[in-house]
Structures are given as C-alpha cells and as structure tokens.
Amino acid sequence: MSPVLIILLAAAFGFYMAWNIGANDVANAMGTSVGARSLSFKQAIIVAAIFEFSGAMLVGNHVSLTVAKGIVNPFSYESQAIVFAYGMLATLLAAALWVNMATKLGMPVSTTHSIVGGVMGFGIVTQGLSSIEWGKVVTIVLSWIVSPISGGIISFFIFLFISKKILTNDKPVVAAKKYAPFLAFMVSMVLVFSMLYKGLKNLHLNFSFTNSLLIAIGVSVVFYGVIYKIVSGIPVDTTLPYKRRYPQVERIFAILQVITASYMAFSHGANDVANAVGPLMGAVYAKALTAHQQLSMPIWVLSVGAVGIVAGLSMYGYKVILVVGRKITDMTPSRGFAAEFGAATTVLVCSKMGLPISTTHTLVGSVIGVGLARGIGALNLKVLKDIVVSWLLTLPIAAALSAAIFLVLKGLFLS
C-alpha cells in the first residue's frame, strides 16, 4: 500500500470514528440537556458544534498522544513501522464499526473502551501479550472505575445542595435566584481555570497558576453578574401554590444548564477527540513514532476529529440522547445541571492528567448519582443493566474485530 493511500485511508477511518463518537458519545454528553428540555435537539447541535470543536482544538492534544503512543509501545515496531501503521488503521475501523453497531441499538458504549480494545487487539496478534503497556492499561482501567464514581459522588452532593437550599425551601424561586449566580460562578471558575492552566499548549499560551486563577476569577465575576441580571428579571409570584412555583425554579436551572452543557461539550471535545485522532496520528506518522521522534499533534489531524464529531451528532445522535436523557431516570433542568457539572468536572480534570477516560461512564455515573439522591426507585435498573452489559462487551469485541481486520490487511498488503 502506498504512503498516500495509507494517509487517505487513515483520514477516512479517523473521520468515520469521529462521526461515531459524535453519534454515540457526544449524544451522552448532551443527553441530559435535551432530556430535561433545557435545549432542543437543534440547539444542542449548535452548542456541541461550537464547544466540542473548541475543546478538541485547544486541549485535545494531551490525551491524543496518550492513545497514539501509550497502549502499545511504538518503539517495539521500529524496524517495521508499516505494521504499526496497519495496526492503527485496523484499530480505527474496528472501533468505529462496533460503536456504529451499538448506536444503531441505542446503547451508549464507551468510545474510549473501543479504541483501547482495538489497539490491544492488533498489539496482541503482532507481538503477543508482552507488547501491551499493561501499566498504562491498568491506569486506564482504574480511571474507568474512578471516573463514574467520582462523577456520581460530585453530582450526588451538588443535587443534595440544590434540593436542600432551593427545591425544599419555603420560597424556592427566591432561593433559586439567590444561588443561581453563585453556581454559575463556580462552573465558570472550574472551566476557565482548567482551560488556561497548562491547557492551551496548542496555542503556545502558558499561563502561570496565579495568572490562570486571577483571569478565571475575573471571567467568573462577569458570569455571576450576567446570570444575576438574567434571573433578576424573573418575577416571583408567592401567591402561586407551592407546586406551581417549580416551573419558575426550573426555568432558572435551564439557563444554568446551557452553561454546563457548553462546559460538558468542551470537556468532551478535549478528551474524546483522542479516540479518533490518536490512532489517525499513529497511522500517518508511524515512521516518526517508531523512531523516537518528538511529535506534536498537527492541526489538520485534530480538525478531522473535531469536524467528524459534530457531523456524527447532527446526523445520528438522537438515538442515544433518548436513552441517556429520558430512560435512566426522569430528568429536569436542576437534575441535569447537577449531573452535567459533576461529569464535566471529572472529564476535564482527567483529560488534564492525560487519562483517556470514558465520558459515557462518567456521565451515566453522574446521572445515577442524581437519581440516587432521590432514592433507588428513581432509577430504571433494567436500562442500567443493558448499558453495563454493553460496556463489558466493548473491550473484547473491539479487540477481536481489530485483530481480524489487521490480519486481513496483512494478508492483502504484507504477504
């Protein structure tokens, strides 16, 4: 296979994988917003398009390099870089096919699991079990356990705070107007600080800890003021029966959820673009990666992932959105806000650490955390059981598919 054909195939497979990430994984990220009816499907696409693209382009470099180089050691293919390139092609196609199949069934699977399974599959058939960087795999597996639990715990306590201070308050609308600017401040602080502090290497901007913190505080004060101004205009009618005041409260949280949806999309773009562009980079730059050369992520590679994600969400994202947003537990803007804030914080922190965690697991864990805050009866356990089964199947199926595709490529072009 000529180098030009390898590049074209890698770009096509990378775009196909990114398209599936958009259809399955971004749908998870935006599902609670659509499920709570804080955003329409069209509005969710617009929000995702802007912030997924920004997250992928500005922060996506961290995890992409982990996926490209961290699962199997590219240096062990130093004398056969073409094998590494074919392995990356097999990984991309195998993961994309599995995620495509799962999306058709409405199952929110992990695209991260899929790609890690794909890399492991080709690594095992080419160099055996010893070729796998098991230490890195263990770290990733631990992150799969830690991330949903972390997301669930954070979301659980955020929703408890909202319930205690606002939803069960004698004057819920007044309380919501009082706390909404504070919650907006907190969301903004986490997002802006995370983005500025060591997060803009692609733009060659290196803010110190102090400068990042000061800028984050300044931006968050502006957010506080904007939300304060918006909620101040919402009338408080204390003559309404108690239950009829809830729609007014949820209107306020719908505003906040637009912020957290944007935050979630940015975090997702930063982390999960790696699942498409990591192996893409591995295929295109196999010779450099196997020869100890230092590489930075090219903009065109990140662009393929970012554009593909937005295309997948807009064309096929509705199936998984319905499962995550409406079938696990009944979602309202206040519950969706708590779930998204907990999930996005977990995803963004892990992406800064270079851990390719599963946004799916984190978000589902956060939704469960919010549901548990209202009692186990608030959860649809049958749907959760189906989701967990699909999670367990993802790694072995992706690995088997990748191994089979690699053997086909080897038979066609390396024999």
Side-chain angles (χ1 to χ4, degrees):
M1 193 184 298
S2 70
V4 173
L5 186 55
I6 290 177
I7 293 173
L8 290 175
L9 277 181
F13 292 172
F15 185 85
Y16 180 40
M17 183 60 195
W19 188 91
N20 281 292
I21 293 170
N24 194 295
D25 227 6
V26 182
N28 300 339
M30 304 304 291
T32 54
S33 299
V34 177
R37 295 176 175 77
S38 296
L39 290 172
S40 68
F41 184 66
K42 287 183 179 177
Q43 289 169 336
I45 291 173
I46 294 171
V47 170
I50 295 171
F51 288 94
E52 287 278 348
F53 194 86
S54 302
M57 297 299 289
L58 297 177
V59 194
N61 195 35
H62 291 274
V63 177
S64 299
L65 290 177
T66 299
V67 171
K69 300 166 63 177
I71 311 301
V72 298
N73 183 1
F75 305 147
S76 62
Y77 295 86
E78 191 167 5
S79 61
Q80 45 183 352
I82 190 67
V83 173
F84 185 74
Y86 285 3
M88 291 289 111
L89 289 178
T91 295
L92 278 172
L93 187 56
L97 287 171
W98 164 244
V99 177
N100 201 163
M101 188 187 311
T103 305
K104 193 171 183 179
L105 297 172
M107 285 293 101
V109 298
S110 166
T111 54
T112 309
H113 284 213
S114 305
I115 215 72
V116 169
V119 174
M120 291 177 67
F122 109 84
I124 291 171
V125 296
T126 53
Q127 295 191 344
L129 293 171
S130 61
S131 67
I132 306 299
E133 298 283 346
W134 291 107
K136 181 64 71 176
V137 172
V138 168
T139 303
I140 293 171
V141 169
L142 287 176
S143 79
W144 295 341
I145 299 168
V146 170
S147 56
I149 292 176
S150 301
I153 291 174
I154 293 173
S155 300
F156 178 88
F157 284 107
I158 290 172
F159 188 67
L160 276 189
F161 173 83
I162 292 171
S163 295
K164 184 176 180 181
K165 295 293 184 182
I166 299 174
L167 299 181
T168 58
N169 192 295
D170 291 337
K171 298 178 180 178
V173 183
V174 174
K177 293 174 70 169
K178 175 183 175 183
Y179 288 108
F182 170 73
L183 293 170
F185 179 90
M186 291 298 296
V187 171
S188 174
M189 271 295 295
V190 175
L191 172 60
V192 177
F193 179 76
S194 300
M195 183 172 64
L196 293 179
Y197 185 54
K198 297 182 180 178
L200 298 175
K201 289 183 178 178
N202 290 355
L203 300 179
H204 305 292
L205 295 174
N206 294 305
F207 291 100
S208 67
F209 179 89
T210 303
N211 287 339
S212 301
L213 186 62
L214 291 174
I215 294 172
I217 291 173
V219 173
S220 302
V221 168
V222 173
F223 260 94
Y224 180 97
V226 170
I227 296 301
Y228 179 83
K229 181 72 175 175
I230 292 173
V231 299
S232 296
I234 296 176
V236 180
D237 188 351
T238 56
T239 64
L240 288 173
Y242 186 77
K243 287 186 177 178
R244 290 182 59 189
R245 296 177 205 166
Y246 275 113
Q248 289 181 293
V249 174
E250 296 299 351
R251 275 178 60 196
I252 294 173
F253 275 103
I255 296 169
L256 291 177
Q257 207 182 3
V258 173
I259 299 175
T260 52
S262 306
Y263 180 15
M264 190 70 198
F266 184 90
S267 308
H268 181 271
N271 196 284
D272 280 36
V273 72
N275 295 333
V277 303
L280 167 57
M281 185 175 175
V284 174
Y285 296 96
K287 193 171 182 180
L289 285 173
T290 56
H292 298 260
Q293 293 182 17
Q294 292 295 322
L295 285 176
S296 59
M297 185 64 68
I299 290 298
W300 78 266
V301 171
L302 281 172
S303 300
V304 168
V307 173
I309 285 174
V310 174
L313 171 66
S314 59
M315 295 169 68
Y316 207 46
Y318 61 91
K319 276 182 172 283
V320 181
I321 277 181
L322 292 177
V323 173
V324 174
R326 297 181 183 171
K327 293 186 178 179
I328 296 176
T329 190
D330 186 34
M331 197 58 64
T332 63
S334 57
R335 296 166 194 164
F337 168 79
E340 286 180 355
F341 189 15
T345 302
T346 306
V347 170
L348 198 50
V349 169
C350 289
S351 72
K352 303 287 293 209
M353 296 169 64
L355 292 175
I357 66 165
S358 162
T359 307
T360 307
H361 290 201
T362 309
L363 195 277
V364 171
S366 298
V367 171
I368 293 172
V370 170
L372 284 175
R374 297 186 297 124
I376 190 75
L379 297 173
N380 187 332
L381 297 180
K382 182 179 182 308
V383 171
L384 285 177
K385 179 184 173 186
D386 292 341
I387 290 173
V388 170
V389 169
S390 70
W391 289 359
L392 295 175
L393 290 175
T394 294
L395 196 69
I397 288 181
L401 275 175
S402 173
I405 292 170
F406 175 80
L407 291 175
V408 171
L409 289 174
K410 180 183 176 183
L412 290 174
F413 301 107
L414 293 178
S415 299

